[in-house]
Amino acid sequence: MKSEATIKRFQKLLKLEKEEDRRIYQEMVMKRSLKEQCENGVTWYPLAIKRIYIGMAEKTVVEVVRTTQLGKPHVFQSGSTISLFGMENDKPSGMTSGVVQALRGDEMKIILNTEDFPNWLTGMRLGVTLDFDDKTYKEMESALVQLLEVKPKTRLAELREIIWGDQMPAFKRWHTEFQHTKLNESQRKAVQQCLEAEDIAIIHGPPGTGKTTTIVQAIAEICRREPQVLVAAPSNTAVDLLCLKCEAEGLTVVRLGNPARVDEDIQNLTLDSRITQHPDYSALRKIRKEAEQIKTKALKFKRNFGEAERRERRELLDEASELKGHAHKLEDYILHQVLSSAQVIACTLTGAAHSVLGKKRFHTVFLDEASQALSPASWIPILRSDRVIFAGDHFQLPPTVKFIEAEKGGLSETLFDTCIRNKQSDVMLDTQYRMHKHIMYFSGKQFYEGKLKADESVKNRNLGPGFPPVEFVDTTGCGFEERKNPDTLSTANPEEASLLLKHLAILLNEITATIPEILNPDFSIGIISPYKEQVQVIREQLWNSPLFEQYLEFITVNTIDGFQGQERDIVYISLVRSNENGEIGFLKDKRRMNVALTRARKKLVVVGDSGTIGNYPFYKEFLDYIEAIDAYKSAWEFNYD
C-alpha cells in the first residue's frame, strides 16, 4: 500500500535526522571545553543567582544572570531542556535537569524537574548547559510504528489512507450556511468546511488573514456539537495563543504540558492549576499531609525498639499506606473531573502522548501551524481522533530539518503539504487585516495567485503623509562586502547594517517631528535578517548608538524565523548578501522571504544589493515591482560614505 511505503520512508528519514541532531549536539557540547561551550552559546557559566523560590506544582524555580559573554548569541529558548550544574575547584559537583521558562537578555528563569531543593545550589559556582532531548523523537517513532501496525478497517487505517494513500475525503453537505457577523465570507466558508468534513478539512491562512480567529470560531462551533475537542500545534507559543483565544470565547480550556513551557498569562489554564482549583484539592492535600506525618512518626528513631514498637510501626506504616491509597483515588477522581469537564484540551503535538490522556479519543482534532509540523509529529494527536482539521500556510516557514539528506528525502514535507496538494478540502482565507496594499501586493501575486486582498480598514494604512509604505534601498556600488564568521559559518554585512540604522534614525527623526504622539506603547519596529550573524551585528550597533537610546524599547531585532507569526508597524529587512558571484544562500528560500515581507503594517524597508540578488527570478520580479510603485532608493541618497 502507498501509505505503508510512505511510513517506512519516514522512519528511515527520522532516524537520519535524529542521528544528525545528536551528532551536532555532541560537537557543540560533549566534545568542547567549558570555555568553548560558553563561546558557542550552548553553556552559560558562571552564573549569578538572582532569585530561588518554589513555584507552580511545588517545583523549584531558579532565576539566574550570566556574567560572561554578555549580549552574545546563544541557543537557549523558552522550553529548552537544560542541566543546571555546580562547579567546585574547577570540577563538577552537583547537577539537576530543568526547563527554561523565560529568557530576557542575559537573564534566564529555570524550573527544575524536582520538588526537592538541591542543597548545592547556593554553595558553589553555577552553570547551565543545553541537553539533548530525544523524547520528541521517541514519540514520533512510536507514532509511525502504530501507524504501520494499525488494524485494517479501523478509523485510523481509513485516515491513514485518506492522508497518505489514494482515498479521497468525504463531506456531508449541510442545508444551512454557517453565519457569523464578525467573520468575512472566506472565513465563514472555512468554518463551514470544518463542519461538513467527515475526514479532513484545511484552513489555509496567508499572513494577516485571521487564521487564529477563524480556527477559534470553528472550535467554538464544533464544541456546540461535540462534548470535547483536542487542539494541538508544534510550538508552545501557538498552543498558548489558542488557549487564550478559546477562553476569551467562553470555552473551558485545559492546557497540558510542563508548566515551565507554558506562558505565564495562561498558567491558570494548565492541568496542574486546574487540579489545584478543584474544590476537593484541599482535602487531597490534607490526606497527603496526614499520611506523611504518620510515616514520619512511624520511622522516628527510638532508643528501645522491641516487639511492641515493631508492631506499632507496622500499624502506622499500614495506616500511612492506606491514606496514600485514598489520596491516589481522590487524585484520579479530580483528574478525571478536570479533563472530562473541559471543552478544549490543548497541547503540543508531542504533548498529545501525555500519559494523563490514557486511551482517551476525540472525534475532532485541530492542528494549528500544521505547515510547520513534521509529518511524524502531526500523527501523534491524529492517533487519538476520528477526523482532522489542519490550519496553516505552506507558503510560509516549513519545519526545521537539520540533516540535508533527510530534507532531500522528503522529511520536510508536512501532512498539510500532502493534503493541500492532493485533496479538494481546503479553503483559503482571502482578506488580510494587517498591511498596506503595496506591502501585500508582491507576496499576494507570487504566492497566492493574486487572490489576496487588503481589507478597507488597512489597504491605505501608513505612517502618515510623506511616508511611503514600501522602500528598497539599493547598496549596489557601495563596496559593501558580506563576511562569513568562521566559527558560526553565518554571514554578516556590517556596512549594510550601518546603512540600515542610519536610514532608520532619519525616519524616526522625521516621524517624531511630524507625529510626536506616535511614540506610544503600541508603536513597534522590527529589524529582520535571514542571518543570525547579521542580527547580532545590528544589535551591537543599535545598542551602542546614542541615536537610538530613546527608541530601544520600541525596536526588536531577530531572524526571520524569530518573527514568524508576528507583526510590527515598521519593518526593516537586511538581505546581507553582496558578492561578485551572485550567491544568495538562504535568500533562495522564497517561503522564508514571504514571511519577512509580510510582517509590516505601515512601512516596509528592504536593504540589499540588487546586483547580487537581481539574477534570481523571484528578486528580479521584486525589483520590477519596486520600480513600478516608485519605491526604489539608492544608498547614495543618504550620503553614505
Side-chain angles (χ1 to χ4, degrees), residues 392-585:
D393 180 11
H394 53 304
F395 296 124
Q396 295 189 60
L397 292 180
T400 300
V401 177
K402 297 179 180 179
F403 190 38
I404 190 167
E405 294 303 318
E407 183 172 18
K408 286 180 179 178
L411 185 58
S412 61
E413 180 173 298
T414 67
L415 297 187
F416 188 95
D417 295 330
T418 303
C419 291
I420 207 165
R421 183 180 64 242
N422 296 337
K423 319 298 181 186
Q424 301 298 318
S425 55
D426 64 288
V427 174
M428 190 187 91
L429 309 182
D430 61 15
T431 305
Q432 63 86 14
Y433 300 86
R434 174 181 297 163
M435 61 201 109
H436 188 284
K437 59 186 178 183
H438 286 174
I439 300 174
M440 174 208 74
Y441 182 82
F442 180 73
S443 282
K445 180 182 178 184
Q446 287 286 321
F447 298 99
Y448 308 107
E449 301 177 346
K451 295 177 181 178
L452 194 60
K453 56 192 176 186
D455 186 71
E456 287 294 326
S457 62
V458 300
K459 64 184 292 186
N460 296 310
R461 166 186 269 177
N462 57 32
L463 294 171
F467 297 103
V470 180
E471 284 184 56
F472 175 76
V473 182
D474 192 357
T475 65
T476 295
C478 291
F480 297 170
E481 287 290 328
E482 64 183 61
R483 304 171 190 175
K484 181 171 286 189
N485 184 319
D487 294 324
T488 64
L489 300 181
S490 185
T491 307
N493 192 324
E495 290 85 5
E496 182 177 291
S498 298
L499 171 63
L500 183 152
L501 292 176
K502 182 172 184 178
H503 186 287
L504 175 58
I506 293 170
L507 177 64
L508 285 171
N509 286 337
E510 292 176 352
I511 292 173
T512 52
T514 56
I515 322 169
E517 66 274 13
I518 198 171
L519 296 182
N520 60 71
D522 294 327
F523 180 63
S524 59
I525 301 168
I527 303 177
I528 304 175
S529 178
Y531 294 92
K532 290 182 179 179
E533 192 70 19
Q534 183 74 341
V535 167
Q536 187 60 25
V537 167
I538 293 171
R539 283 175 176 165
E540 289 179 355
Q541 291 187 14
L542 180 71
W543 294 339
N544 292 326
S545 172
L547 296 175
F548 295 99
E549 285 183 3
Q550 62 176 318
Y551 303 120
L552 287 178
E553 64 180 296
F554 304 108
I555 304 174
T556 306
V557 187
N558 213 332
T559 60
I560 296 174
D561 296 49
F563 268 99
Q564 170 79 356
Q566 300 185 40
E567 57 187 73
R568 298 290 188 273
D569 291 315
I570 301 170
V571 168
Y572 278 74
I573 303 173
S574 174
L575 297 181
V576 178
R577 302 310 295 259
S578 181
N579 57 74
E580 294 179 355
N581 301 322
E583 292 293 332
I584 64 171

Side-chain angles (χ1 to χ4, degrees), residues 122-138:
T122 56
M124 59 187 72
R125 301 182 88 183
L126 298 179
V128 62
T129 192
L130 186 71
D131 275 350
F132 181 73
D133 184 9
D134 64 353
K135 181 181 178 182
T136 299
Y137 286 109
K138 289 179 179 178

Side-chain angles (χ1 to χ4, degrees), residues 25 39 68 70 98 131 144 174 218 309 438 447 470 594-595 618:
Y25 173 78
E39 290 173 348
T68 60
L70 298 179
D131 275 350
L144 291 177
W174 283 28
E309 288 78 13
H438 286 174
F447 298 99
V470 180
N594 182 34
V595 173
F618 177 82

Side-chain angles (χ1 to χ4, degrees), residues 1-8 144 146-170 199-200 379 382-383 385-386 388 390 415 418-419 421-423 425:
M1 295 176 69
K2 178 181 177 182
S3 61
E4 289 185 2
T6 302
I7 293 166
K8 290 176 181 177
L144 291 177
Q146 291 180 65
L147 275 177
L148 200 57
E149 297 177 349
V150 66
K151 294 180 180 179
K153 298 182 180 180
T154 61
R155 182 56 181 151
L156 181 58
E158 291 176 344
L159 279 178
R160 186 184 72 172
E161 297 312 309
I162 290 168
I163 293 174
W164 267 345
D166 297 315
Q167 197 170 317
M168 293 299 292
D199 306 300
I200 62 171
W379 278 107
I382 296 175
L383 292 174
S385 69
D386 294 327
V388 194
F390 297 101
L415 297 187
T418 303
C419 291
R421 183 180 64 242
N422 296 337
K423 319 298 181 186
S425 55

Side-chain angles (χ1 to χ4, degrees), residues 75-128:
V75 300
F76 298 103
Q77 56 186 344
S78 295
S80 293
T81 302
I82 55 89
S83 285
L84 185 67
F85 62 89
M87 296 286 284
E88 195 168 26
N89 298 324
D90 295 326
K91 293 182 180 180
S93 184
M95 181 177 290
T96 187
S97 65
V99 175
V100 177
Q101 184 183 46
L103 283 160
R104 183 185 295 273
D106 293 309
E107 297 184 7
M108 181 187 297
K109 181 190 286 187
I110 302 165
I111 297 184
L112 302 183
N113 296 328
T114 177
E115 296 179 9
D116 300 320
F117 181 84
N119 294 327
W120 50 267
L121 274 183
T122 56
M124 59 187 72
R125 301 182 88 183
L126 298 179
V128 62

